[in-house]
Amino acid sequence: MVKLTEGRGKELFRKYGVPVPTGTIVTSAEEAERSVRSGSVPLPCVIKAQVLAGGRGKGGAVRFASTPEEARAAAAAILGTSFQGETVREVLLEQKVAIARELYVSFALDRSQRLPMLMTSARGGVEIETVDDSAIDRQTIDPFPGLVAYERRKATRALGLTGTLAADLDRLLGNLYRLFDREDAELVEINPLAVVGEHLLALDAKVIIEDDASFRHPEYAEIRDDRTPLEEIAREKEIAFVQLDGNIGVIANGAGLTMATLDVLKEFGGAPGVFLDLGGTDDPKKVTEAFLLMAQAHPKAVFLNIFGGVTRCDTVANGLVAALASVPASERFPLVARIRGNNEAEGIAILRAAGVTSVPDLRSSAQAVVAAAQGGA
Ligand code: GDP
Ligand code: MN
């Protein structure tokens, strides 16, 4: 998932004609002071930590300054600190504005209806989850015509805007929807959208780009930092691979069996460290690739839990045996297999020939792998 920080989101807003305050992103306290002194950020100004977590206002990560020295001190106080587990490496420096009202506007993908949805509320500035449902106006958007005039008018009425503010909102919604559509976003949120004098200004920006559209947006590639390097390789190979904190590798097939396997390991005191969902693979090469990827995560023990349906047990066994042969002796780990289902006997025979025993009972096999991981630790 590509979540943009507020500063990056606002760069997009500017590009699409969504009004934002004058401001700049800086990475040091000196730079903050310089930006104010040079006049590129007018005083008084706001200093905001560029982290993905929300609630910065309440958490002390949004500060105000009325002199260059104060701007410097505020930036120094936030940079390098940790906000909800994220290190602050950048701050956004912006002109402070006088807020008359705080509104809420967003476009999100409504997955239940499989359509974009426009949400507006006159109660902006607080987390939308805490706003009473009756105070939120929702409109489902048909993506073929896109956002149309009557939908914009309905939102304007719901927010109680008239005159220049109504005109501003009409334009802003059109531009924000265009951004949502063209950038393949799953969420664009402005909270608060501030009434400042006779005009509207986006004071915050939350933009999430849809992962499945990332192939259309190489420009976001470097921002996608929530995957580990191994997870990134796995994604390119279209292997469902997730790294966790523990030390047991899990190879299973299907989301249900994979999750159940993680649960049963936990129940016996094991800590899954990486799991791999083979899904409906019927290609021994793919199984080999997946297994080698798992080996690179250096698990203490590996639990292979397969139900042979579409993926037959012998296919998995062949892939696994091929992979085992290419894991260097120094990187070997104990392996417990439980394979049931289609071509079970063939699969077990192939594994046995390679020195791997299959334990048919789920609980016994889970206990065996937990013991192996602890023994090796
Ligand atoms: P969040 O708490 O992480 O969502 O950060 P926001 O960007 O929404 O900022 C939090 C709050 O700071 C806003 O709801 C505003 O009340 C306040 N704030 C931000 N910018 C300004 C500004 O330019 N002027 C004033 N008066 N308040 C601001
Ligand atoms: Mn906000």
Side-chain angles (χ1 to χ4, degrees), residues 276-294:
L276 227 166
D277 176 2
L278 292 179
T281 303
D282 201 10
D283 177 1
K285 273 208 217 90
K286 190 111 186 251
V287 177
T288 304
E289 275 187 337
F291 188 79
L292 288 177
L293 214 54
M294 168 152 290

Side-chain angles (χ1 to χ4, degrees), residues 91-143:
V91 298
L92 177 65
L93 216 63
E94 265 183 1
Q95 176 170 26
K96 184 184 178 190
V97 295
I99 304 174
R101 285 177 67 194
E102 293 189 317
L103 313 173
Y104 174 95
V105 168
S106 72
F107 288 99
L109 262 190
D110 178 0
R111 295 189 191 274
S112 63
Q113 298 199 65
R114 303 175 184 180
L115 290 170
M117 186 167 65
L118 166 61
M119 283 185 16
T120 57
S121 174
R123 306 230 188 111
V126 296
E127 276 181 43
I128 194 67
E129 290 78 12
T130 66
V131 175
D132 196 83
D133 221 45
S134 62
I136 302 173
D137 184 67
R138 293 183 173 80
Q139 299 189 69
T140 301
I141 310 301
D142 182 338

Side-chain angles (χ1 to χ4, degrees), residues 272-355:
V274 49
F275 70 84
L276 227 166
D277 176 2
L278 292 179
T281 303
D282 201 10
D283 177 1
K285 273 208 217 90
K286 190 111 186 251
V287 177
T288 304
E289 275 187 337
F291 188 79
L292 288 177
L293 214 54
M294 168 152 290
Q296 287 179 55
H298 303 296
K300 285 270 189 261
V302 168
F303 187 18
L304 177 76
N305 190 12
I306 297 296
F307 181 77
V310 177
T311 316
R312 302 185 323 270
C313 293
D314 53 332
T315 304
V316 177
N318 276 325
L320 190 75
V321 169
L324 274 177
S326 45
V327 176
S330 60
E331 289 177 20
R332 294 274 165 82
F333 34 74
L335 183 74
V336 177
R338 172 180 176 269
I339 68 178
R340 314 286 314 252
N342 251 343
N343 292 8
E344 179 176 324
E346 290 87 335
I348 291 174
I350 293 164
L351 288 181
R352 189 182 302 125

